[in-house]
Amino acid sequence: MKRTLLSVLCLGSLAATVLWITYNNELKIRYQYPKIYSEIWRRNEKNYNDFRSLLHSQCNGFDKAIITQANSPIGTHITKFHVVTESFYGKIPSEHPFLNKTWDTCAVVGNGGILYDSYCGKKIDSADFVIRCNLPPIGNAFEEHVGTKTSLVTSNPTVFLTLRNPDKLLQRVEPFGDSMILIPAFGYLSSLSFKTVRTLKELNNPSRPVYLNPQYMSNLTEFWRNRGVKASQLSSGLIMVSVALEVCKNVHVYGFWPYSIHPFGRYHIPHHYYDNALPKSFHKMPVEFDHLLHLHSQGVLRLHLGTCEK
């Protein structure tokens, strides 16, 4: 009887917590966000330069975000368990692909359901450099909303679990052409990541796999932790926005909205623009979004939450 009562109380407490979080998020969507977010946006050169300088001094994505021969000579301990061998050294870029190169406009495209029926495809594709996350579906029914141009796309190792069949792997990566595929390969499922890269090479796929640098990730995690993002893992989206702010003069962010209710129409939207599968992750999406919204209001980057011109 006592155990039953305790279970009921725990379930009741959990339900109350969920309702409170839902209610609190609804209040933010209805009252707080409309006051902070504005479609009429003006870039603030000083705020942009100040924030970019902080990122560069503490994280240095220009030189460190991607593992290269320049920042990881033979014998370098990438992690406690991974050392750069002569064989691996010959397979990584000689220098950072962003080195001494700054693009004028960059689009960082998340996979949020807010892109569903957004008609932002042309606007996204007009950017000089386009970054996407986790090998999302593009083209066909999605093209007019998310575009197809891709300069760099991330892929979490967990994605490769569903792509062990070579035909499925090719089908997933072919839409991205010769873009860079950024892989965090020195942690969970590292052997699968390296095997997938070998398979792509054997299949003569034109994509350019590159590896996310754990040292950069450690610095970036600390950078955002000091600003209140205390998740065990940063989302791919926040990582890519951080990189973009170092290598791009004008950063436009699409598909970043962590709620199931549209901020303007107040109607329900899917979790992703291509499905409604809920994430199985430890990311703090609402917390990350609040920081992006703050950077938008400061004129550091432009966050797109509405629809684009057809």
Side-chain angles (χ1 to χ4, degrees):
M1 181 66 181
K2 288 183 178 179
R3 289 183 178 179
T4 302
L5 180 59
L6 182 60
S7 298
V8 170
L9 289 173
C10 289
L11 288 172
S13 177
L14 177 62
T17 300
V18 171
L19 286 173
W20 169 247
I21 292 173
T22 303
Y23 175 70
N24 190 46
N25 289 339
E26 176 72 16
L27 289 178
K28 281 187 174 182
I29 295 168
R30 288 185 178 276
Y31 302 108
Q32 180 179 339
Y33 290 149
K35 292 179 181 178
I36 301 173
Y37 179 81
S38 174
E39 286 282 3
I40 302 172
W41 180 85
R42 181 174 297 176
R43 173 187 169 85
N44 187 304
E45 194 71 23
K46 182 182 184 303
N47 289 345
Y48 163 78
N49 286 327
D50 287 348
F51 193 81
R52 183 172 181 263
S53 295
L54 274 176
L55 267 176
H56 182 71
S57 65
Q58 297 181 33
C59 306
N60 194 6
F62 263 105
D63 299 315
K64 301 294 185 182
I66 291 175
I67 293 175
T68 67
Q69 293 177 357
N71 61 39
S72 302
I74 296 173
T76 299
H77 284 261
I78 295 176
T79 69
K80 183 179 179 180
F81 306 103
H82 295 90
V83 179
V84 176
T85 62
E86 187 173 347
S87 174
F88 181 74
Y89 183 79
K91 298 174 183 177
I92 56 180
S94 59
E95 62 180 7
H96 202 301
F98 304 140
L99 195 63
N100 298 323
K101 172 69 176 178
T102 301
W103 286 272
D104 182 56
T105 57
C106 291
V108 182
V109 188
N111 299 326
I114 197 166
L115 275 176
Y116 183 78
D117 280 345
S118 68
Y119 297 96
C120 287
K122 289 183 179 179
K123 185 71 174 176
I124 290 170
D125 284 351
S126 69
D128 298 317
F129 196 84
V130 179
I131 301 173
R132 301 182 188 274
C133 300
N134 296 330
L135 295 173
I138 56 176
N140 299 326
F142 306 117
E143 181 174 353
E144 62 182 343
H145 305 300
V146 302
T148 58
K149 181 177 180 178
T150 306
S151 309
L152 182 151
V153 59
T154 70
S155 180
N156 288 333
T158 51
V159 174
F160 295 143
L161 282 172
T162 64
L163 301 174
R164 293 183 177 182
N165 181 291
D167 291 334
K168 287 185 177 181
L169 177 63
L170 276 183
Q171 185 179 11
R172 186 71 172 265
V173 301
E174 277 182 342
F176 302 102
D178 63 352
S179 64
M180 288 182 282
I181 301 180
L182 181 60
I183 306 168
F186 297 95
Y188 180 59
L189 297 175
S190 60
S191 59
L192 178 59
S193 296
F194 292 126
K195 181 180 179 182
T196 302
V197 171
R198 288 196 300 271
T199 301
L200 288 172
K201 185 175 181 180
E202 291 168 358
L203 294 172
N204 295 316
N205 182 264
S207 63
R208 294 171 289 150
V210 290
Y211 300 107
L212 186 64
N213 193 336
Q215 180 185 347
Y216 169 75
M217 275 307 305
S218 177
N219 293 338
L220 187 66
T221 299
E222 184 67 17
F223 176 88
W224 283 111
R225 182 178 292 120
N226 290 335
R227 285 155 181 79
V229 183
K230 301 185 184 298
S232 58
Q233 296 178 6
L234 300 178
S235 71
S236 298
L238 186 60
I239 297 168
M240 290 299 97
V241 169
S242 302
V243 171
L245 283 168
E246 281 202 55
V247 303
C248 311
K249 292 181 180 178
N250 297 281
V251 178
H252 293 257
V253 179
Y254 300 84
F256 285 70
W257 176 251
Y259 304 110
S260 60
I261 300 173
H262 196 282
F264 303 129
R266 305 288 192 269
Y267 52 85
H268 284 273
I269 53 177
H271 184 72
H272 299 122
Y273 67 79
Y274 49 84
D275 67 29
N276 198 31
L278 297 178
K280 297 177 181 179
S281 68
F282 300 98
H283 305 316
K284 300 289 186 180
M285 296 299 192
V287 176
E288 292 185 358
F289 175 78
D290 285 348
H291 282 276
L292 295 179
L293 185 61
H294 181 64
L295 292 175
H296 171 90
S297 67
Q298 288 189 320
V300 175
L301 56 76
R302 182 164 188 182
L303 184 65
H304 295 266
L305 297 180
T307 56
C308 301
E309 294 182 5
K310 295 184 181 180

